[in-house]
Amino acid sequence: MSSAQNDGRLTTHVLDTMNGRPAAGMGIDLYRCEGDVVEPILSARTNADGRCDGPLLQGERFEAGAYELRFHVGSYFRQSGVSGEPAFLEIVPVRFTITDPDAHYHVPLLVAPYAYSTYRGS
């Protein structure tokens, strides 16, 4: 028996490593990428815990393929009182591939005004 709906989901979590806290209020955009075509899917904002209130992608929209998260780091740090115009890191793009539509893909971002890291979390 196969499921008509995928059980997988995409989530993220952003930590402000400069201040040692969740990056609350950061804007995030999600895109689907097919070759040179980049299609916007949604825009979200992190909550007080540095997470989005629900999965960014799930159900029948959660398909195998290439995706990109764009984290609005520059505006987040400006709102947090970090000066610098233009910001060294304005938007941090993270392009990744979903291969299993029944899996949980968690893409955390650890960020400071001049550096970031990411990985596939759980």
Side-chain angles (χ1 to χ4, degrees):
M1 173 197 271
S2 72
S3 171
Q5 184 172 338
N6 301 337
D7 292 327
R9 67 194 186 282
L10 171 65
T11 58
T12 190
H13 187 196
V14 185
L15 296 173
D16 173 345
T17 59
M18 180 180 120
N19 294 301
R21 64 181 181 216
M26 183 178 291
I28 300 170
D29 299 317
L30 174 64
Y31 297 84
R32 180 164 170 87
C33 309
E34 293 187 35
D36 291 337
V37 178
V38 178
E39 174 189 355
I41 296 176
L42 65 81
S43 293
R45 193 162 292 280
T46 57
N47 60 26
D49 193 35
R51 301 174 187 273
C52 296
D53 289 331
L56 296 171
L57 199 57
Q58 67 181 0
E60 53 189 51
R61 293 187 72 193
F62 189 76
E63 302 173 330
Y67 293 85
E68 184 171 288
L69 284 167
R70 295 181 188 170
F71 297 89
H72 294 261
V73 172
S75 59
Y76 166 79
F77 280 112
R78 278 191 294 280
Q79 291 171 1
S80 298
V82 176
S83 63
E85 201 58 50
F88 179 69
L89 296 174
E90 189 62 47
I91 294 178
V92 172
V94 178
R95 192 168 287 197
F96 57 95
T97 304
I98 292 172
T99 57
D100 180 358
D102 289 319
H104 178 195
Y105 285 76
H106 184 65
V107 182
L109 181 72
L110 307 174
V111 68
Y114 297 97
Y116 69 91
S117 65
T118 188
Y119 55 94
R120 181 175 175 190
S122 59

mmCIF file of all heavy atoms in Angstrom, residues 23-64:
data_model
loop_
_atom_site.group_PDB
_atom_site.id
_atom_site.type_symbol
_atom_site.label_atom_id
_atom_site.label_comp_id
_atom_site.label_asym_id
_atom_site.label_seq_id
_atom_site.Cartn_x
_atom_site.Cartn_y
_atom_site.Cartn_z
ATOM 1 N N ALA A 23 17.929 33.463 16.102
ATOM 2 C CA ALA A 23 17.788 34.638 15.238
ATOM 3 C C ALA A 23 16.303 34.896 14.988
ATOM 4 O O ALA A 23 15.753 34.501 13.959
ATOM 5 C CB ALA A 23 18.550 34.429 13.939
ATOM 6 N N ALA A 24 15.658 35.546 15.923
ATOM 7 C CA ALA A 24 14.222 35.830 15.833
ATOM 8 C C ALA A 24 13.950 36.936 14.821
ATOM 9 O O ALA A 24 14.661 37.941 14.793
ATOM 10 C CB ALA A 24 13.689 36.233 17.202
ATOM 11 N N GLY A 25 12.946 36.732 13.981
ATOM 12 C CA GLY A 25 12.529 37.753 13.029
ATOM 13 C C GLY A 25 13.292 37.782 11.725
ATOM 14 O O GLY A 25 13.139 38.724 10.947
ATOM 15 N N MET A 26 14.121 36.777 11.444
ATOM 16 C CA MET A 26 14.868 36.767 10.186
ATOM 17 C C MET A 26 13.962 36.330 9.034
ATOM 18 O O MET A 26 13.243 35.352 9.133
ATOM 19 C CB MET A 26 16.084 35.844 10.257
ATOM 20 C CG MET A 26 16.910 35.894 8.960
ATOM 21 S SD MET A 26 18.385 34.864 8.980
ATOM 22 C CE MET A 26 19.376 35.747 10.167
ATOM 23 N N GLY A 27 14.034 37.055 7.933
ATOM 24 C CA GLY A 27 13.292 36.703 6.734
ATOM 25 C C GLY A 27 13.979 35.566 5.995
ATOM 26 O O GLY A 27 15.208 35.510 5.922
ATOM 27 N N ILE A 28 13.163 34.656 5.456
ATOM 28 C CA ILE A 28 13.673 33.506 4.706
ATOM 29 C C ILE A 28 12.801 33.331 3.465
ATOM 30 O O ILE A 28 11.573 33.401 3.549
ATOM 31 C CB ILE A 28 13.589 32.211 5.544
ATOM 32 C CG1 ILE A 28 14.398 32.340 6.821
ATOM 33 C CG2 ILE A 28 14.049 31.006 4.733
ATOM 34 C CD1 ILE A 28 14.177 31.203 7.803
ATOM 35 N N ASP A 29 13.427 33.097 2.323
ATOM 36 C CA ASP A 29 12.708 32.791 1.089
ATOM 37 C C ASP A 29 13.105 31.392 0.637
ATOM 38 O O ASP A 29 14.278 31.016 0.733
ATOM 39 C CB ASP A 29 13.055 33.791 -0.015
ATOM 40 C CG ASP A 29 12.671 35.208 0.345
ATOM 41 O OD1 ASP A 29 11.571 35.395 0.890
ATOM 42 O OD2 ASP A 29 13.476 36.122 0.096
ATOM 43 N N LEU A 30 12.138 30.644 0.129
ATOM 44 C CA LEU A 30 12.377 29.302 -0.391
ATOM 45 C C LEU A 30 12.078 29.282 -1.883
ATOM 46 O O LEU A 30 11.038 29.802 -2.312
ATOM 47 C CB LEU A 30 11.494 28.279 0.337
ATOM 48 C CG LEU A 30 11.536 26.847 -0.200
ATOM 49 C CD1 LEU A 30 12.929 26.227 -0.043
ATOM 50 C CD2 LEU A 30 10.484 25.992 0.490
ATOM 51 N N TYR A 31 12.993 28.689 -2.649
ATOM 52 C CA TYR A 31 12.865 28.583 -4.101
ATOM 53 C C TYR A 31 13.058 27.139 -4.544
ATOM 54 O O TYR A 31 13.822 26.398 -3.931
ATOM 55 C CB TYR A 31 13.940 29.432 -4.798
ATOM 56 C CG TYR A 31 13.827 30.900 -4.515
ATOM 57 C CD1 TYR A 31 14.394 31.445 -3.369
ATOM 58 C CD2 TYR A 31 13.164 31.743 -5.391
ATOM 59 C CE1 TYR A 31 14.291 32.798 -3.104
ATOM 60 C CE2 TYR A 31 13.064 33.103 -5.128
ATOM 61 C CZ TYR A 31 13.625 33.618 -3.988
ATOM 62 O OH TYR A 31 13.530 34.961 -3.719
ATOM 63 N N ARG A 32 12.404 26.766 -5.636
ATOM 64 C CA ARG A 32 12.665 25.493 -6.304
ATOM 65 C C ARG A 32 13.526 25.824 -7.513
ATOM 66 O O ARG A 32 13.262 26.789 -8.228
ATOM 67 C CB ARG A 32 11.370 24.815 -6.734
ATOM 68 C CG ARG A 32 11.645 23.492 -7.418
ATOM 69 C CD ARG A 32 10.379 22.638 -7.507
ATOM 70 N NE ARG A 32 10.575 21.501 -8.345
ATOM 71 C CZ ARG A 32 11.062 20.329 -7.953
ATOM 72 N NH1 ARG A 32 11.390 20.151 -6.684
ATOM 73 N NH2 ARG A 32 11.214 19.337 -8.777
ATOM 74 N N CYS A 33 14.563 25.019 -7.751
ATOM 75 C CA CYS A 33 15.532 25.287 -8.812
ATOM 76 C C CYS A 33 15.521 24.147 -9.830
ATOM 77 O O CYS A 33 15.721 22.993 -9.459
ATOM 78 C CB CYS A 33 16.930 25.431 -8.222
ATOM 79 S SG CYS A 33 17.032 26.600 -6.858
ATOM 80 N N GLU A 34 15.288 24.492 -11.080
ATOM 81 C CA GLU A 34 15.364 23.516 -12.171
ATOM 82 C C GLU A 34 16.211 24.120 -13.264
ATOM 83 O O GLU A 34 15.740 24.978 -14.011
ATOM 84 C CB GLU A 34 13.968 23.163 -12.681
ATOM 85 C CG GLU A 34 13.141 22.409 -11.659
ATOM 86 C CD GLU A 34 11.821 21.909 -12.223
ATOM 87 O OE1 GLU A 34 11.784 21.529 -13.415
ATOM 88 O OE2 GLU A 34 10.849 21.902 -11.469
ATOM 89 N N GLY A 35 17.471 23.690 -13.340
ATOM 90 C CA GLY A 35 18.393 24.291 -14.308
ATOM 91 C C GLY A 35 18.596 25.753 -13.972
ATOM 92 O O GLY A 35 18.916 26.105 -12.836
ATOM 93 N N ASP A 36 18.354 26.626 -14.950
ATOM 94 C CA ASP A 36 18.502 28.070 -14.744
ATOM 95 C C ASP A 36 17.223 28.718 -14.217
ATOM 96 O O ASP A 36 17.205 29.917 -13.947
ATOM 97 C CB ASP A 36 18.901 28.751 -16.053
ATOM 98 C CG ASP A 36 20.318 28.377 -16.485
ATOM 99 O OD1 ASP A 36 21.121 27.983 -15.612
ATOM 100 O OD2 ASP A 36 20.618 28.478 -17.692
ATOM 101 N N VAL A 37 16.155 27.932 -14.089
ATOM 102 C CA VAL A 37 14.879 28.470 -13.615
ATOM 103 C C VAL A 37 14.805 28.359 -12.093
ATOM 104 O O VAL A 37 14.967 27.278 -11.533
ATOM 105 C CB VAL A 37 13.690 27.716 -14.263
ATOM 106 C CG1 VAL A 37 12.368 28.240 -13.723
ATOM 107 C CG2 VAL A 37 13.748 27.822 -15.777
ATOM 108 N N VAL A 38 14.577 29.486 -11.450
ATOM 109 C CA VAL A 38 14.453 29.541 -9.992
ATOM 110 C C VAL A 38 13.061 30.094 -9.694
ATOM 111 O O VAL A 38 12.774 31.246 -9.968
ATOM 112 C CB VAL A 38 15.558 30.424 -9.373
ATOM 113 C CG1 VAL A 38 15.400 30.509 -7.874
ATOM 114 C CG2 VAL A 38 16.934 29.881 -9.740
ATOM 115 N N GLU A 39 12.210 29.236 -9.130
ATOM 116 C CA GLU A 39 10.808 29.588 -8.891
ATOM 117 C C GLU A 39 10.562 29.823 -7.402
ATOM 118 O O GLU A 39 10.812 28.944 -6.574
ATOM 119 C CB GLU A 39 9.914 28.449 -9.376
ATOM 120 C CG GLU A 39 8.461 28.633 -9.064
ATOM 121 C CD GLU A 39 7.642 27.386 -9.362
ATOM 122 O OE1 GLU A 39 8.172 26.406 -9.898
ATOM 123 O OE2 GLU A 39 6.445 27.402 -9.024
ATOM 124 N N PRO A 40 10.052 31.018 -7.043
ATOM 125 C CA PRO A 40 9.760 31.264 -5.624
ATOM 126 C C PRO A 40 8.607 30.384 -5.139
ATOM 127 O O PRO A 40 7.622 30.189 -5.853
ATOM 128 C CB PRO A 40 9.384 32.738 -5.582
ATOM 129 C CG PRO A 40 9.038 33.116 -6.971
ATOM 130 C CD PRO A 40 9.720 32.151 -7.890
ATOM 131 N N ILE A 41 8.761 29.845 -3.938
ATOM 132 C CA ILE A 41 7.718 29.014 -3.333
ATOM 133 C C ILE A 41 7.052 29.746 -2.187
ATOM 134 O O ILE A 41 5.833 29.804 -2.105
ATOM 135 C CB ILE A 41 8.292 27.665 -2.854
ATOM 136 C CG1 ILE A 41 8.795 26.859 -4.047
ATOM 137 C CG2 ILE A 41 7.247 26.881 -2.083
ATOM 138 C CD1 ILE A 41 9.467 25.558 -3.666
ATOM 139 N N LEU A 42 7.852 30.310 -1.272
ATOM 140 C CA LEU A 42 7.270 31.015 -0.134
ATOM 141 C C LEU A 42 8.284 31.902 0.537
ATOM 142 O O LEU A 42 9.487 31.768 0.335
ATOM 143 C CB LEU A 42 6.680 30.040 0.889
ATOM 144 C CG LEU A 42 7.622 29.086 1.636
ATOM 145 C CD1 LEU A 42 8.314 29.747 2.810
ATOM 146 C CD2 LEU A 42 6.819 27.911 2.160
ATOM 147 N N SER A 43 7.757 32.810 1.348
ATOM 148 C CA SER A 43 8.570 33.653 2.219
ATOM 149 C C SER A 43 8.068 33.440 3.637
ATOM 150 O O SER A 43 6.866 33.266 3.850
ATOM 151 C CB SER A 43 8.439 35.132 1.839
ATOM 152 O OG SER A 43 9.011 35.362 0.565
ATOM 153 N N ALA A 44 8.999 33.439 4.582
ATOM 154 C CA ALA A 44 8.646 33.203 5.978
ATOM 155 C C ALA A 44 9.535 34.067 6.858
ATOM 156 O O ALA A 44 10.490 34.684 6.388
ATOM 157 C CB ALA A 44 8.817 31.732 6.328
ATOM 158 N N ARG A 45 9.231 34.066 8.147
ATOM 159 C CA ARG A 45 10.029 34.791 9.128
ATOM 160 C C ARG A 45 10.197 33.884 10.341
ATOM 161 O O ARG A 45 9.265 33.188 10.725
ATOM 162 C CB ARG A 45 9.310 36.081 9.510
ATOM 163 C CG ARG A 45 10.177 37.042 10.283
ATOM 164 C CD ARG A 45 9.605 38.449 10.253
ATOM 165 N NE ARG A 45 9.649 39.071 8.943
ATOM 166 C CZ ARG A 45 10.722 39.650 8.395
ATOM 167 N NH1 ARG A 45 11.857 39.678 9.047
ATOM 168 N NH2 ARG A 45 10.662 40.202 7.210
ATOM 169 N N THR A 46 11.384 33.898 10.920
ATOM 170 C CA THR A 46 11.629 33.047 12.084
ATOM 171 C C THR A 46 10.908 33.603 13.311
ATOM 172 O O THR A 46 10.736 34.810 13.469
ATOM 173 C CB THR A 46 13.132 32.920 12.387
ATOM 174 O OG1 THR A 46 13.681 34.225 12.576
ATOM 175 C CG2 THR A 46 13.864 32.200 11.268
ATOM 176 N N ASN A 47 10.517 32.692 14.191
ATOM 177 C CA ASN A 47 9.843 33.073 15.437
ATOM 178 C C ASN A 47 10.890 33.326 16.534
ATOM 179 O O ASN A 47 12.096 33.355 16.256
ATOM 180 C CB ASN A 47 8.817 32.003 15.839
ATOM 181 C CG ASN A 47 9.426 30.633 16.065
ATOM 182 O OD1 ASN A 47 10.610 30.501 16.393
ATOM 183 N ND2 ASN A 47 8.617 29.594 15.921
ATOM 184 N N ALA A 48 10.455 33.465 17.761
ATOM 185 C CA ALA A 48 11.356 33.777 18.881
ATOM 186 C C ALA A 48 12.398 32.696 19.117
ATOM 187 O O ALA A 48 13.457 32.962 19.685
ATOM 188 C CB ALA A 48 10.545 34.010 20.156
ATOM 189 N N ASP A 49 12.122 31.474 18.666
ATOM 190 C CA ASP A 49 13.063 30.359 18.816
ATOM 191 C C ASP A 49 13.990 30.218 17.608
ATOM 192 O O ASP A 49 14.770 29.280 17.520
ATOM 193 C CB ASP A 49 12.273 29.061 19.041
ATOM 194 C CG ASP A 49 13.147 27.920 19.521
ATOM 195 O OD1 ASP A 49 14.109 28.170 20.280
ATOM 196 O OD2 ASP A 49 12.881 26.770 19.117
ATOM 197 N N GLY A 50 13.907 31.134 16.633
ATOM 198 C CA GLY A 50 14.744 31.067 15.438
ATOM 199 C C GLY A 50 14.256 30.037 14.431
ATOM 200 O O GLY A 50 14.963 29.693 13.492
ATOM 201 N N ARG A 51 13.038 29.543 14.622
ATOM 202 C CA ARG A 51 12.437 28.555 13.716
ATOM 203 C C ARG A 51 11.217 29.178 13.051
ATOM 204 O O ARG A 51 10.720 30.207 13.496
ATOM 205 C CB ARG A 51 11.992 27.319 14.502
ATOM 206 C CG ARG A 51 13.115 26.627 15.244
ATOM 207 C CD ARG A 51 12.578 25.484 16.123
ATOM 208 N NE ARG A 51 13.609 24.931 16.958
ATOM 209 C CZ ARG A 51 14.433 23.960 16.599
ATOM 210 N NH1 ARG A 51 14.338 23.418 15.404
ATOM 211 N NH2 ARG A 51 15.341 23.507 17.431
ATOM 212 N N CYS A 52 10.722 28.519 12.019
ATOM 213 C CA CYS A 52 9.451 28.932 11.426
ATOM 214 C C CYS A 52 8.351 28.199 12.179
ATOM 215 O O CYS A 52 8.587 27.148 12.766
ATOM 216 C CB CYS A 52 9.434 28.621 9.942
ATOM 217 S SG CYS A 52 10.692 29.577 9.054
ATOM 218 N N ASP A 53 7.151 28.744 12.173
ATOM 219 C CA ASP A 53 6.064 28.173 12.960
ATOM 220 C C ASP A 53 5.638 26.785 12.494
ATOM 221 O O ASP A 53 5.022 26.051 13.253
ATOM 222 C CB ASP A 53 4.862 29.117 12.976
ATOM 223 C CG ASP A 53 5.137 30.362 13.819
ATOM 224 O OD1 ASP A 53 5.938 30.280 14.775
ATOM 225 O OD2 ASP A 53 4.551 31.411 13.510
ATOM 226 N N GLY A 54 5.959 26.422 11.284
ATOM 227 C CA GLY A 54 5.657 25.095 10.760
ATOM 228 C C GLY A 54 6.666 24.732 9.685
ATOM 229 O O GLY A 54 7.558 25.532 9.380
ATOM 230 N N PRO A 55 6.553 23.545 9.104
ATOM 231 C CA PRO A 55 7.471 23.173 8.017
ATOM 232 C C PRO A 55 7.386 24.161 6.859
ATOM 233 O O PRO A 55 6.306 24.688 6.555
ATOM 234 C CB PRO A 55 6.971 21.790 7.598
ATOM 235 C CG PRO A 55 6.247 21.263 8.785
ATOM 236 C CD PRO A 55 5.622 22.472 9.434
ATOM 237 N N LEU A 56 8.509 24.419 6.224
ATOM 238 C CA LEU A 56 8.535 25.285 5.052
ATOM 239 C C LEU A 56 7.909 24.588 3.850
ATOM 240 O O LEU A 56 7.362 25.231 2.968
ATOM 241 C CB LEU A 56 9.974 25.690 4.731
ATOM 242 C CG LEU A 56 10.668 26.529 5.794
ATOM 243 C CD1 LEU A 56 12.141 26.687 5.459
ATOM 244 C CD2 LEU A 56 9.998 27.882 5.920
ATOM 245 N N LEU A 57 8.043 23.284 3.832
ATOM 246 C CA LEU A 57 7.532 22.501 2.714
ATOM 247 C C LEU A 57 7.171 21.131 3.241
ATOM 248 O O LEU A 57 7.912 20.543 4.020
ATOM 249 C CB LEU A 57 8.636 22.385 1.644
ATOM 250 C CG LEU A 57 8.264 22.018 0.228
ATOM 251 C CD1 LEU A 57 7.260 22.989 -0.367
ATOM 252 C CD2 LEU A 57 9.523 21.991 -0.631
ATOM 253 N N GLN A 58 6.016 20.625 2.807
ATOM 254 C CA GLN A 58 5.582 19.291 3.209
ATOM 255 C C GLN A 58 4.456 18.839 2.292
ATOM 256 O O GLN A 58 3.978 19.606 1.467
ATOM 257 C CB GLN A 58 5.127 19.258 4.668
ATOM 258 C CG GLN A 58 3.867 20.032 4.955
ATOM 259 C CD GLN A 58 3.483 19.977 6.423
ATOM 260 O OE1 GLN A 58 4.143 19.361 7.236
ATOM 261 N NE2 GLN A 58 2.401 20.634 6.776
ATOM 262 N N GLY A 59 4.037 17.591 2.461
ATOM 263 C CA GLY A 59 2.920 17.068 1.694
ATOM 264 C C GLY A 59 3.242 16.921 0.227
ATOM 265 O O GLY A 59 4.379 16.662 -0.160
ATOM 266 N N GLU A 60 2.247 17.125 -0.608
ATOM 267 C CA GLU A 60 2.438 16.903 -2.044
ATOM 268 C C GLU A 60 3.353 17.930 -2.692
ATOM 269 O O GLU A 60 3.896 17.677 -3.758
ATOM 270 C CB GLU A 60 1.098 16.816 -2.769
ATOM 271 C CG GLU A 60 0.168 17.962 -2.521
ATOM 272 C CD GLU A 60 -1.218 17.707 -3.090
ATOM 273 O OE1 GLU A 60 -1.800 16.653 -2.814
ATOM 274 O OE2 GLU A 60 -1.697 18.600 -3.804
ATOM 275 N N ARG A 61 3.593 19.080 -2.055
ATOM 276 C CA ARG A 61 4.542 20.068 -2.592
ATOM 277 C C ARG A 61 5.993 19.692 -2.282
ATOM 278 O O ARG A 61 6.919 20.260 -2.839
ATOM 279 C CB ARG A 61 4.248 21.448 -2.017
ATOM 280 C CG ARG A 61 2.909 21.991 -2.505
ATOM 281 C CD ARG A 61 2.710 23.403 -2.087
ATOM 282 N NE ARG A 61 3.607 24.265 -2.865
ATOM 283 C CZ ARG A 61 3.842 25.535 -2.564
ATOM 284 N NH1 ARG A 61 3.288 26.090 -1.526
ATOM 285 N NH2 ARG A 61 4.661 26.249 -3.312
ATOM 286 N N PHE A 62 6.183 18.732 -1.373
ATOM 287 C CA PHE A 62 7.533 18.293 -0.984
ATOM 288 C C PHE A 62 7.967 17.209 -1.955
ATOM 289 O O PHE A 62 7.627 16.044 -1.808
ATOM 290 C CB PHE A 62 7.510 17.774 0.456
ATOM 291 C CG PHE A 62 8.870 17.494 1.017
ATOM 292 C CD1 PHE A 62 9.689 18.528 1.427
ATOM 293 C CD2 PHE A 62 9.334 16.200 1.134
ATOM 294 C CE1 PHE A 62 10.956 18.282 1.957
ATOM 295 C CE2 PHE A 62 10.598 15.936 1.656
ATOM 296 C CZ PHE A 62 11.396 16.987 2.069
ATOM 297 N N GLU A 63 8.707 17.597 -2.967
ATOM 298 C CA GLU A 63 9.132 16.690 -4.034
ATOM 299 C C GLU A 63 10.646 16.640 -4.120
ATOM 300 O O GLU A 63 11.332 17.577 -3.707
ATOM 301 C CB GLU A 63 8.592 17.181 -5.379
ATOM 302 C CG GLU A 63 7.097 17.321 -5.449
ATOM 303 C CD GLU A 63 6.655 17.965 -6.756
ATOM 304 O OE1 GLU A 63 7.415 18.777 -7.336
ATOM 305 O OE2 GLU A 63 5.548 17.655 -7.202
ATOM 306 N N ALA A 64 11.149 15.556 -4.709
ATOM 307 C CA ALA A 64 12.587 15.460 -4.977
ATOM 308 C C ALA A 64 12.966 16.596 -5.927
ATOM 309 O O ALA A 64 12.189 17.005 -6.779
ATOM 310 C CB ALA A 64 12.916 14.103 -5.588
#
